Amino acid sequence: MLPLKDFNPTRRIPFITYGLIITNVAVFMWTLLYSSADLQELFLRLSVVPANVTGDPLALETLLDIIRGMFFHGGWLHLLGNMLYLWLFGDNIEDRMGIALYLIFYFFCGIVAAIAQILIDP
């Protein structure tokens, strides 16, 4: 059973959460324009490749790969699952933290997730 809404009221409209959801969906729709081979090349060029990250972890390109990789999804279920939970929890977190801290938290969590993935499957 998947939750579809929460009952925690917010004080303001969660524009950042909505923007993140729109951006994630737009990037996913953009990737649908690519053939399988071209999409593989796109992911290798613009997303997290563990060997590249471990080879030069402090490079600007490594950080950009991690940030860009946060907006790539492996399929419809991956996208829909992530966006469902961003929809459910993002508005409350944004409301509680404020815009700046919420964005820092969002990207921090994405960076930690990428590092965890690299540690699990280098």
Side-chain angles (χ1 to χ4, degrees):
M1 186 143 101
L2 290 172
L4 298 178
K5 63 180 179 175
D6 65 4
F7 297 103
N8 300 323
T10 57
R11 295 172 289 173
R12 54 186 154 234
I13 299 171
F15 289 113
I16 300 302
T17 299
Y18 294 162
L20 289 169
I21 291 170
I22 290 168
T23 302
N24 277 283
V25 171
V27 169
F28 184 76
M29 299 303 283
W30 173 64
T31 63
L32 293 177
L33 300 173
Y34 287 82
S35 69
S36 182
D38 290 340
L39 187 59
Q40 181 73 18
E41 174 62 30
L42 179 75
F43 285 160
L44 287 173
R45 211 170 13 96
L46 296 179
S47 191
V48 176
V49 176
N52 296 346
V53 174
T54 57
D56 196 0
L58 301 177
L60 176 62
E61 190 63 27
T62 299
L63 178 62
L64 292 175
D65 287 346
I66 290 172
I67 291 171
R68 287 187 298 247
M70 291 172 58
F71 296 95
F72 287 129
H73 291 83
W76 283 105
L77 287 177
H78 184 205
L79 175 73
L80 293 175
N82 283 4
M83 294 309 101
L84 172 64
Y85 284 95
L86 184 55
W87 172 264
L88 288 173
F89 300 114
D91 61 341
N92 299 116
I93 297 169
E94 180 180 347
D95 191 53
R96 175 66 73 153
M97 297 179 97
I99 291 172
L101 281 177
Y102 176 60
L103 280 172
I104 291 168
F105 179 69
Y106 182 85
F107 286 105
F108 174 77
C109 288
I111 291 167
V112 169
I115 291 168
Q117 180 63 39
I118 291 164
L119 291 173
I120 290 168
D121 190 14

